[in-house]
Amino acid sequence: MAKRKNVKSGKKPGTPLEKAAAEYREQPVQKDATEEMTAEISAAEPKVTEVAADEPSTAKIVEDSPAVAKETCVPPRRSVAFIGSECYPFVKTGGLGDVMYALPKELAKQNCDVKVILPRYKCIPWEYQTKMIFRGGFQMDLCADGRSFHVAIMEYVWDGVVYDFIDNEEFFSYGNPYTNLIDDIPRFCYFAKAALAALNYMDWIPDIIHCHDWQAALVPVYLRTQFVQTKLTTAKTILTIHNLRFQGIYDIPTIRYWSGLPDYVFNMGALKVGDRDANMLKGGLAYANFITTVSQTYAEEIQCAYYGETLDSHLRYHSGKLRGIVNGIDCDIWNPSTDARLYKNYDISNVLDKKKENKHRLQEELGLVQGDNKFVIGLISRLTNQKGLDLVNMILPQVMDEHTQFIVLGTGDRVYEDSFRYYENAYTGNVCSNIMYDETRAHRIYAGADALLVPSQFEPCGLTQLIAMHYGTIPIVRETGGLKDTVEPYNMYSNRGNGFTFDRYDAGLLLDAINRAKILYFEHRRCWDEMVQRDMDKNLSWENSAKQYRDLYLDLTR
Ligand code: ADP
């Protein structure tokens, strides 16, 4: 962790933020954002070296010993601040939480100095709350009328990663991270600015500020406007899109008031959309030095109208700084040979026997008819229309027969929750609808099911198919986004591939894919078993993807 300098009591004037804000107020009109960024990119950057020299002792060890670095091929060290709205195990609603945990951890192993900045929600388990230590606090101007809010920083260090939680009771006292836009817009305006102000306050100047989704999208905008006179301005920003559907759109007056951002960012090239709305994600995409998304296919798809969620032309315009890097999974958490939540642990050598035991125990726990001759299909998902549940609803009666069982785990839209409850009643003993969020149950389904269904309408990356493969459960997926990049379709002639796929968003094609899976399972079990082992053998860890992020950090800060 970088040294802390100039730490002052929050209430006194003269914190770096206040100085910067005062200087900022005295500035003449700011340059246009694009001009500023172009100048920045082309400028030589001695400051980055200065920052590296100011880094923590571990960084110095590596840099002071070039011989060692050369021998072991250690890449140059970079400091990275991750800013996002959720992170396992503190708070997780979906894949973003997994990535915010696993990627920093892997980057720390690859010679990056990583700090993760998160909101301190009330719902964070008490066991973590009690381990946090108070790093400092200060008052921060936020709104257009100068209304200010307190920012407290609570810190927790774990597995080589520093977690700094932004604490403010007014914004983060709800149980859940997301409530409704009317509350979420002010909350994440505050969070984006407070994250930068906290870095400034701690005098921790990262080489890279890596922001995630719309909740952190205003960070690059603040950095190039209100923080342009601070030391943080040397940092390069990356904005990762985990799901383009969520953008943080509200009317301009509301976002202008809560963000306190200058009028000129509310133009069509940055935040403005339509006649009267502002889009926080769109602004972040314009101001970030680089944009990534979580698979190569999704990076291409979102530049087309069908997947572009109305930002396709904006993304095409910025395509020169857009790239896809596929997610991995954390193989410490998702490891069937050590997973304490499983009934029976297993690895590739005994998967075929032990998976059967997991299946029996799962059937028993869920009140399903027990038996080896059942093909168990799992579905673990947020229950929203993105996930292709309309297709599932349409074909489930045709899928269900005396040899098939279906287990769903998820929460979300009422219409899907109710339809799965209906199917549970209609097929008692063979369908089980777990309308809940339950980590343990998820692990047991990954281990006990034969196949996992992911028929998404769109899927930026998707983690459930990766976890399934790692647990020897065959994915049945639609060829979109990361599903297309990670699941190679089974080829019956060459007996290769990792799962069953279909291309068009069509119920008939999904049914066909499930039937192909069933035929292989019941009639060519040896080929099925080989695929199970092949899937478990596939390298799905974060190592490769983290390397690509690290190389991107190096490229941006060379
Ligand atoms: P998304 O981010 O769109 O929700 P992903 O496939 O990227 O989808 O990630 C979903 C993550 O959330 C996986 O780790 C999955 O196991 C987990 N998950 C989803 N729903 C539940 C649930 N009801 N209970 C437990 N875990 C869940």
Side-chain angles (χ1 to χ4, degrees):
M1 223 165 36
K3 278 184 291 178
R4 185 165 121 190
K5 292 181 202 160
N6 304 331
V7 177
K8 290 177 185 162
S9 139
K11 282 186 181 143
K12 283 185 205 160
T15 61
L17 176 71
E18 283 163 347
K19 275 188 204 155
E23 281 163 22
Y24 169 73
R25 275 184 224 107
E26 284 159 28
Q27 288 296 308
V29 179
Q30 294 288 337
K31 274 189 277 179
D32 162 55
T34 10
E35 252 178 62
E36 224 155 44
M37 283 193 295
T38 322
E40 251 217 336
I41 291 160
S42 58
E45 292 155 17
K47 279 184 185 162
V48 173
T49 329
E50 261 174 51
V51 173
D54 206 26
E55 275 176 355
S57 52
T58 38
K60 281 205 174 122
I61 293 165
V62 174
E63 288 187 358
D64 291 347
S65 326
V68 176
K70 215 175 181 181
E71 256 174 48
T72 55
C73 295
V74 178
R77 195 166 175 88
R78 289 291 180 268
S79 51
V80 190
F82 266 62
I83 304 180
S85 58
E86 57 181 271
C87 176
Y88 176 89
F90 313 112
V91 57
K92 169 181 155 184
T93 68
L96 171 63
D98 289 304
V99 176
M100 288 288 290
Y101 165 72
L103 178 56
K105 200 175 124 198
E106 183 59 38
L107 286 166
K109 286 187 201 154
Q110 297 188 19
N111 203 23
C112 287
D113 191 12
V114 195
K115 209 185 239 308
V116 179
I117 304 189
L118 298 163
R120 186 192 181 186
Y121 303 108
K122 220 174 189 169
C123 61
I124 293 175
W126 192 238
E127 59 177 300
Y128 301 112
Q129 303 261 12
T130 51
K131 288 181 191 144
M132 297 176 187
I133 53 155
F134 179 67
R135 272 297 304 260
F138 54 90
Q139 201 65 19
M140 175 185 82
D141 289 348
L142 179 69
C143 301
D145 60 0
R147 191 166 156 200
S148 68
F149 291 88
H150 193 257
V151 179
I153 308 165
M154 303 295 292
E155 194 163 279
Y156 176 53
V157 184
W158 182 36
D159 254 356
V161 178
V162 178
Y163 296 88
D164 279 318
F165 294 86
I166 302 294
D167 193 13
N168 179 295
E169 284 246 321
E170 255 171 284
F171 289 110
F172 303 128
S173 60
Y174 294 95
N176 295 322
Y178 317 117
T179 46
N180 50 64
L181 270 186
I182 191 86
D183 293 322
D184 288 351
I185 293 283
R187 180 177 305 158
F188 292 112
C189 287
Y190 165 83
F191 174 61
K193 187 166 182 182
L196 285 177
L199 287 173
N200 215 20
Y201 176 83
M202 294 185 280
D203 202 18
W204 199 84
I205 313 300
D207 299 312
I208 298 286
I209 299 180
H210 192 158
C211 315
H212 299 265
D213 272 349
W214 77 267
Q215 296 90 347
L218 285 191
V219 169
V221 188
Y222 278 120
L223 188 67
R224 304 295 173 225
T225 56
Q226 297 188 358
F227 286 73
V228 79
Q229 299 296 327
T230 68
K231 282 203 251 169
L232 283 173
T233 196
T234 55
K236 295 287 183 279
T237 53
I238 299 178
L239 178 55
T240 295
I241 304 169
H242 294 262
N243 191 333
L244 190 64
R245 177 151 288 179
F246 307 108
Q247 301 178 2
I249 304 175
Y250 219 82
D251 60 64
I252 290 177
T254 303
I255 295 190
R256 184 164 35 201
Y257 172 75
W258 279 103
S259 67
L261 282 164
D263 286 350
Y264 64 80
V265 305
F266 295 90
N267 67 60
M268 289 308 284
L271 271 93
K272 189 173 177 193
V273 286
D275 293 333
R276 52 187 293 277
D277 285 339
N279 179 327
M280 288 164 57
L281 184 70
K282 180 168 176 258
L285 297 172
Y287 276 82
N289 292 101
F290 209 84
I291 305 165
T292 65
T293 185
V294 287
S295 68
Q296 187 51 44
T297 297
Y298 193 58
E300 287 155 22
E301 285 174 345
I302 56 178
Q303 297 179 53
C304 308
Y306 182 77
Y307 292 101
E309 306 283 344
T310 72
L311 287 186
D312 47 304
S313 64
H314 191 64
L315 286 160
R316 281 198 299 279
Y317 181 78
H318 290 289
S319 59
K321 59 173 185 177
L322 167 65
R323 183 176 149 195
I325 300 177
V326 78
N327 286 337
I329 53 172
D330 187 296
C331 294
D332 295 332
I333 293 174
W334 299 108
N335 183 348
S337 65
T338 55
D339 190 336
R341 289 173 156 129
L342 301 193
Y343 307 107
K344 283 281 171 209
N345 290 113
Y346 59 92
D347 57 30
I348 194 164
S349 66
N350 57 8
V351 53
L352 302 175
D353 289 333
K354 298 285 184 222
K355 215 169 177 340
K356 270 191 206 147
E357 288 187 49
N358 279 295
K359 180 164 154 178
H360 287 173
R361 297 286 301 276
L362 180 69
Q363 288 169 324
E364 190 185 14
E365 182 179 324
L366 301 183
L368 295 176
V369 177
Q370 283 175 270
D372 269 349
N373 59 341
K374 301 277 184 190
F375 180 65
V376 177
I377 305 173
L379 189 151
I380 301 173
S381 176
R382 285 183 293 114
L383 302 182
T384 68
N385 69 348
Q386 171 199 335
K387 299 294 182 177
L389 305 174
D390 296 322
L391 302 189
V392 179
N393 272 333
M394 266 184 252
I395 59 153
L396 208 56
Q398 287 151 277
V399 172
M400 295 309 301
D401 56 33
E402 72 270 36
H403 297 303
T404 308
Q405 292 183 335
F406 182 72
I407 301 171
V408 58
L409 172 65
T411 55
D413 297 351
R414 184 74 189 268
V415 57
Y416 301 118
E417 293 187 352
D418 286 348
S419 66
F420 287 125
R421 283 191 185 107
Y422 164 80
Y423 282 125
E424 184 177 73
N425 272 331
Y427 299 95
T428 315
N430 283 317
V431 172
C432 179
S433 299
N434 304 272
I435 306 302
M436 60 178 80
Y437 189 94
D438 186 332
E439 287 281 346
T440 301
R441 192 148 291 181
H443 284 242
R444 290 177 177 177
I445 296 172
Y446 286 122
D450 295 300
L452 191 96
L453 213 53
V454 200
S456 305
Q457 206 169 30
F458 70 92
E459 194 60 72
C461 175
L463 294 177
T464 57
Q465 84 281 10
L466 300 180
I467 302 168
M469 286 193 276
H470 204 56
Y471 278 59
T473 302
I474 304 300
I476 301 175
V477 308
R478 177 162 173 255
E479 290 168 19
T480 181
L483 299 172
K484 187 172 177 188
D485 294 355
T486 55
V487 181
E488 184 189 331
Y490 178 69
N491 181 325
M492 62 189 284
Y493 301 106
S494 61
N495 193 27
R496 286 177 56 93
N498 308 106
F500 294 88
T501 71
F502 63 103
D503 51 13
R504 268 182 303 109
Y505 189 72
D506 180 288
L509 295 185
L510 169 61
L511 182 61
D512 178 61
I514 295 175
N515 285 338
R516 278 184 279 131
K518 276 187 183 176
I519 289 170
L520 197 75
Y521 181 83
F522 286 114
E523 294 179 15
H524 306 277
R525 184 63 70 87
R526 191 181 53 80
C527 297
W528 178 275
D529 290 346
E530 281 170 9
M531 181 152 48
V532 166
Q533 288 172 319
R534 212 165 35 244
D535 282 7
M536 284 191 79
D537 208 24
K538 205 169 150 79
N539 183 359
L540 299 167
S541 76
W542 265 105
E543 196 184 344
N544 274 337
S545 310
K547 250 184 216 143
Q548 294 179 53
Y549 278 110
R550 193 201 58 205
D551 291 346
L552 176 62
Y553 301 158
L554 293 176
D555 281 349
L556 286 172
T557 53
R558 241 179 253 289

